[in-house]
Amino acid sequence: MEMHRRIHLELRNRTPSDVRELVLDNCRADEGKIKGLTADFVNLEFLSLINVGLLSVSNLPKLGKVKKLELSDNRISSGLDVLAEKLPNLTHLNLSGNKLKDISTLEPLKKLDNLKSLDLFNCEVTNLNDYRESVFKLLPQLTYLDGYDIEDREASDSDGEVDGDGIDDDEDEEDD
């Protein structure tokens, strides 16, 4: 009920097709379902479901325009094959703080041709030997893994691409 009410509040006199970004962080999923989150959100490009108690992504609706998906701090351990079918245009996927243990559980992400950035921070899989090398080999379409490219250059916050100025962006913000 709380999740449904949250979606209703997010809409405020708009139809689901008007919504480009939807943030439902810290709401509780009901048995893996997000009430009110439907395929009617046809123009949704950014979806955030941080810490909602998801065990799986199997109940996500088909949302063909979503490019960025935030799923950190849930309890997802497998079943990522659904993402290519339901969210085929993903470019950024954050799965940090989930229960992913093996490189093989990431294999379905090969089908996400546009995936440029993947975040697995605080997942057990990051403790494996040759973790970074293995993920970049498995997912050749990736530019960034956990915020760094294959050469260990950090992604900028703006568009996921290195800004190349050699200055730590955090320090820049303090000068403003």
Side-chain angles (χ1 to χ4, degrees):
M1 189 65 180
E2 178 188 335
M3 183 80 74
H4 189 71
R5 187 167 49 243
R6 178 87 177 258
I7 289 176
H8 184 74
L9 287 173
E10 292 281 336
L11 290 177
R12 286 187 215 105
N13 302 323
R14 294 186 293 171
T15 65
S17 63
D18 294 331
V19 179
R20 300 253 183 300
E21 297 188 6
L22 190 57
V23 176
L24 301 170
D25 301 350
N26 303 310
C27 292
R28 285 284 139 222
D30 184 17
E31 294 180 14
K33 293 189 174 115
I34 290 85
K35 286 183 182 170
L37 180 60
T38 66
D40 294 338
F41 288 87
V42 291
N43 291 309
L44 197 63
E45 294 177 6
F46 175 83
L47 177 60
S48 187
L49 298 169
I50 296 171
N51 189 34
V52 298
L54 282 182
L55 296 170
S56 138
V57 292
S58 62
N59 289 314
L60 288 177
K62 187 167 175 62
L63 298 165
K65 289 194 177 179
V66 169
K67 291 188 167 96
K68 294 187 178 185
L69 179 62
E70 292 279 343
L71 290 172
S72 48
D73 299 325
N74 283 289
R75 292 175 293 175
I76 299 163
S77 59
S78 63
L80 300 178
D81 48 309
V82 174
L83 292 176
E85 173 196 332
K86 297 193 176 185
L87 305 159
N89 291 305
L90 274 185
T91 59
H92 293 71
L93 176 60
N94 189 339
L95 288 165
S96 55
N98 276 281
K99 306 291 181 190
L100 301 164
K101 296 179 182 176
D102 303 307
I103 296 289
S104 61
T105 60
L106 305 175
E107 193 152 344
L109 301 180
K110 285 201 291 198
K111 295 178 184 168
L112 290 167
D113 295 335
N114 301 313
L115 191 65
K116 289 193 311 187
S117 177
L118 176 64
D119 197 330
L120 298 168
F121 181 73
N122 266 351
C123 291
E124 283 184 50
V125 69
T126 62
N127 297 324
L128 297 175
N129 287 340
D130 302 322
Y131 152 72
R132 288 182 55 78
E133 182 184 324
S134 300
V135 174
F136 276 117
K137 187 175 179 182
L138 178 69
L139 306 172
Q141 76 275 37
L142 269 192
T143 305
Y144 298 106
L145 176 60
D146 303 331
Y148 291 85
D149 71 8
I150 200 161
E151 304 293 330
D152 274 339
R153 289 181 297 230
E154 190 170 7
S156 71
D157 288 338
S158 58
D159 59 3
E161 295 185 2
V162 177
D163 58 14
D165 63 6
I167 299 168
D168 185 2
D169 291 331
D170 292 338
E171 290 176 19
D172 286 350
E173 289 168 15
E174 289 173 15
D175 296 340
D176 290 346

